[in-house]
Amino acid sequence: MDNGHHPGPNGTSVIPAGTEGAATNKTVVMGAGPGGLCAAYVLSKAGVPTVVLEKAPFVGGLARTIKHQTEAGEFKFDIGGHRWFTKNEELNDIFREVIADELLMVNRTSRIYFDGKYVFYPLKISNALKEIGPIMAARAVADQQLQQVKQKAQPKEIVSLEDAFVNQYGNTLYKLFFKRYSEKVWGLPCDQMSGDWATQRTKGMSLWTAVRDAIVPSKGKVVSLIDEFMYPREGFGRFSERMADTITGLGNQIQLGSGVERVHREENKVVAVTVATEHGSERIEGEHFISSIPLTLLAQIIDPAPPAEVVAAAKSLTFRNVITVNLMLKKRQVTPDTWLYVHDRNILFGRFHEPKNWSSAMVPEGDYTSLVVEYFCSFGDHIWSMTEEQLVEQTIKHLIDDMGLITRDEVMGGFTIRAPRAYPSYTIGYDKPLEVIKAFIGEMTNLQTIGRYGTFRYNNTDHSIETGLLAAKNVLGGHHDLEQVNAEKDYHEIKRIPEPAGAGRKTGA
Ligand SMILES: Cc1cc2nc3c(=O)[nH]c(=O)nc-3n(C[C@H](O)[C@H](O)[C@H](O)COP(=O)(O)OP(=O)(O)OC[C@H]3O[C@@H](n4cnc5c(N)ncnc54)[C@H](O)[C@@H]3O)c2cc1C
């Protein structure tokens, strides 16, 4: 009997839009990125009837992997390299369980390119001070000491991103290593962005302690920056594809090409959603609803509409887009880096990675490699307005003329991927409208919001799936507060390990 399951584009089976039977869904999940899929994965394993509704014709959202066939073989591209890292072992277990025999451990070495020089990132102080020269280095150390004394004597509230960076690094290092890149990412001066982002994403360190430790190493607990990460051999998108395979394998449904257009409520209870499919509109009912679609969109499609201030709040929040230029190259290797951050203002892109350095399976066998080059932009600005041909050409020119990394005859071809609304923008004051939206959504008794744009929080995949996991546990009877995920002010990339560090490391790429 044909139960409506057909092989989908990811090798998973999907229910074609418009198929009967969705009325018995206990849980309706909106969006098939890692967040939504993790919720459905957990629910499917617990035997809960669940349907995932996805607007795109594929699963994986921002964390998908794009395949590109050439005469030399297949190239694979993430939308900006996605590494897996979390301090939460329950999430690591899920990742390992899903990726299973496709798991690699990859060494991380990333650098910043600035004014023709390279320094390690996260900053290794001795290397950074060496590269900037003795006079600038002395100024950087003195500057940071002064900042620490000032902050102790008269503590100043950290409001902006600039405050946060200067507080962590002092003015000299902020200007050298943080200001230009952050302004590329956000498209705004750092004094207009909220300091919230910096506390979790960068870790200040005392330059004086670093200099002193280089001479007389201190004893006690070792603090280590994360220098290796997990990665699926065939690209990060395999994480979503494999969760999708399990969900459909357990008899639940992933409905691709089904964009949620209306979320129907009766008072404070969501009763159904309407999706637009190629066959027309379809109403899908459920008992529990989990949304990973943009929070700003969700607030505007709830029916009956929320109070006007909620809709106004949703319209006031902003985000940044990403365009990746994906280049295929007849060359063995461009750089040894995991990521290379490019600070120079005359180079329009912000960062690139070389997928082969993450997994050799990302490029055809032989002397081939590729680059994924990231441009940060907003709708209508000069980067977003460039055509695919212009962006590819601009990228090639920067790599040849400004950085000297490739030659024209090594370029086999290139194409772009546009990812709108990839970064929720923490502009100063963003928290007020966000509170208004969340207060309204919070009144809905059976609607949970999860994920990155689903919660308007700068979530990595681990946080996104954590919210999915907790939402699923709540459907199963738990009482978890999703707001606590990624709310800690602690730096994400540090692990504290008892001395001696001990464990061996393996490389996969
Ligand atoms: C350039 C870049 C690099 C990154 N690097 C890393 C990294 O190294 N490590 C890491 O852990 N994370 C990284 N991330 C973050 C990671 O991509 C996200 O945390 C993760 O994809 C969020 O998952 P999600 O399910 O919340 O959202 P998404 O992946 O955005 O998925 C949401 C889904 O909802 C769908 N959708 C939207 N509207 C509708 C609608 N109306 N109806 C139905 N479906 C809809 C979308 O099509 C999408 O599939 C990076 C992100 C970017 C942009």
Side-chain angles (χ1 to χ4, degrees):
M1 192 183 88
D2 181 2
N3 62 3
H5 289 242
H6 301 278
N10 301 305
T12 178
S13 84
V14 295
I15 292 278
T19 305
E20 275 292 308
T24 56
N25 296 308
K26 189 166 165 134
T27 305
V28 176
V29 177
M30 301 173 232
L37 288 172
C38 182
Y41 177 82
V42 173
L43 290 169
S44 300
K45 291 204 336 172
V48 178
T50 301
V51 63
V52 184
L53 304 171
E54 169 56 53
K55 184 173 162 186
F58 41 74
V59 300
L62 284 172
R64 70 186 185 277
T65 300
I66 290 113
K67 295 179 180 138
H68 192 88
Q69 197 61 43
T70 68
E71 277 182 8
E74 190 175 73
F75 287 82
K76 303 181 188 75
F77 300 94
D78 292 355
I79 303 180
H82 276 62
R83 75 183 168 139
W84 173 265
F85 170 74
T86 175
K87 293 189 248 182
N88 180 328
E89 276 311 310
E90 187 179 11
L91 304 179
N92 276 331
D93 286 345
I94 293 179
F95 193 78
R96 286 194 204 97
E97 174 182 283
V98 171
I99 298 301
D101 55 341
E102 296 182 28
L103 192 69
L104 293 180
M105 296 302 293
V106 182
N107 280 337
R108 165 165 116 167
T109 30
S110 291
R111 290 182 300 168
I112 294 172
Y113 175 85
F114 77 110
D115 305 333
K117 301 189 189 86
Y118 291 89
V119 295
F120 288 110
Y121 185 78
L123 289 187
K124 288 186 179 151
I125 291 304
S126 54
N127 160 258
L129 295 183
K130 187 169 149 252
E131 284 303 322
I132 63 181
I135 295 171
M136 195 65 106
R139 188 190 293 171
V141 175
D143 229 21
Q144 199 201 37
Q145 289 290 101
L146 181 70
Q147 177 63 28
Q148 284 173 353
V149 172
K150 273 196 337 207
Q151 190 64 8
K152 236 185 209 148
Q154 221 173 7
K156 184 181 165 220
E157 196 194 344
I158 305 295
V159 177
S160 70
L161 193 53
E162 180 167 292
D163 296 341
F165 281 138
V166 172
N167 188 48
Q168 285 185 2
Y169 293 98
N171 209 25
T172 305
L173 285 193
Y174 157 62
K175 286 206 172 125
L176 274 172
F177 296 123
F178 297 96
K179 184 174 163 57
R180 286 183 291 176
Y181 186 72
S182 303
E183 291 181 357
K184 266 191 190 178
V185 174
W186 299 114
L188 283 176
C190 290
D191 61 3
Q192 291 181 31
M193 298 299 300
S194 161
D196 286 0
W197 181 82
T199 47
Q200 292 182 330
R201 293 292 172 141
T202 60
K203 179 67 185 167
M205 49 186 88
S206 162
L207 300 186
W208 174 240
T209 312
V211 172
R212 199 191 53 208
D213 274 8
I215 304 163
V216 189
S218 59
K219 295 215 168 71
K221 273 196 166 175
V222 178
V223 172
S224 153
L225 293 171
I226 302 309
D227 49 16
E228 65 177 359
F229 59 90
M230 292 191 233
Y231 190 69
R233 190 185 312 278
E234 306 267 331
F236 201 86
R238 290 295 294 148
F239 183 43
S240 294
E241 291 172 9
R242 290 187 67 131
M243 282 193 287
D245 285 344
T246 301
I247 293 163
T248 51
L250 288 167
N252 274 330
Q253 305 165 16
I254 298 173
Q255 219 173 279
L256 300 178
S258 301
V260 178
E261 290 209 314
R262 282 268 160 263
V263 175
H264 306 279
R265 67 180 172 118
E266 285 170 8
E267 303 291 342
N268 289 345
K269 190 165 183 247
V270 175
V271 288
V273 297
T274 298
V275 291
T277 74
E278 60 176 337
H279 309 287
S281 285
E282 187 188 350
R283 185 182 162 99
I284 295 172
E285 296 182 354
E287 263 180 59
H288 300 274
F289 293 81
I290 298 175
S291 169
S292 70
I293 70 173
L295 184 66
T296 49
L297 171 70
L298 178 69
Q300 294 178 68
I301 61 174
I302 290 189
D303 185 17
E309 68 264 24
V310 177
V311 176
K315 288 183 176 160
S316 75
L317 290 175
T318 56
F319 43 79
R320 283 287 269 176
N321 304 337
V322 168
I323 302 176
T324 56
V325 173
N326 306 287
L327 290 184
M328 289 143 295
L329 301 166
K330 178 90 186 80
K331 187 180 177 79
R332 206 170 61 79
Q333 191 181 36
V334 179
T335 80
D337 297 296
T338 306
W339 275 293
L340 190 72
Y341 297 83
V342 179
H343 286 201
D344 300 41
R345 287 202 175 96
N346 65 313
I347 300 177
L348 292 185
F349 56 74
R351 178 172 87 156
F352 68 76
H353 84 282
E354 191 168 353
K356 189 183 186 178
N357 293 346
W358 299 44
S359 163
S360 55
M362 299 298 282
V363 292
E365 268 183 41
D367 279 352
Y368 295 103
T369 191
S370 59
L371 293 179
V372 179
V373 181
E374 293 172 48
Y375 287 82
F376 309 109
C377 48
S378 298
F379 290 126
D381 72 10
H382 68 293
I383 293 177
W384 187 259
S385 308
M386 287 166 83
T387 62
E388 180 166 63
E389 292 70 29
Q390 287 168 334
L391 281 160
V392 171
E393 183 51 30
Q394 183 74 51
T395 308
I396 294 169
K397 274 176 81 174
H398 282 321
L399 291 167
I400 297 174
D401 300 341
D402 300 316
M403 302 184 74
L405 290 175
I406 59 169
T407 58
R408 175 78 56 178
D409 59 354
E410 288 167 345
V411 180
M412 298 164 63
F415 66 97
T416 57
I417 296 287
R418 285 172 191 258
R421 303 179 186 84
Y423 290 88
S425 284
Y426 289 6
T427 44
I428 287 181
Y430 81 101
D431 45 330
K432 300 285 174 307
L434 190 55
E435 270 169 31
V436 171
I437 303 170
K438 288 194 171 172
F440 173 77
I441 301 283
E443 285 171 17
M444 302 293 127
T445 53
N446 60 344
L447 171 63
Q448 302 184 77
T449 56
I450 63 164
R452 180 158 163 129
Y453 206 171
T455 59
F456 205 83
R457 192 166 280 174
Y458 198 102
N459 283 336
N460 268 337
T461 309
D462 55 309
H463 307 118
S464 303
I465 74 154
E466 186 175 357
T467 50
L469 168 70
L470 296 182
K473 285 184 175 177
N474 286 344
V475 168
L476 296 169
H479 299 283
H480 299 278
D481 180 2
L482 275 53
E483 277 300 307
Q484 294 311 311
V485 175
N486 193 14
E488 76 271 24
K489 292 276 183 210
D490 206 15
Y491 181 47
H492 287 153
E493 303 215 8
I494 231 160
K495 60 181 170 191
R496 291 175 201 285
I497 41 180
E499 220 176 353
R505 283 148 37 87
K506 45 183 175 142
T507 341

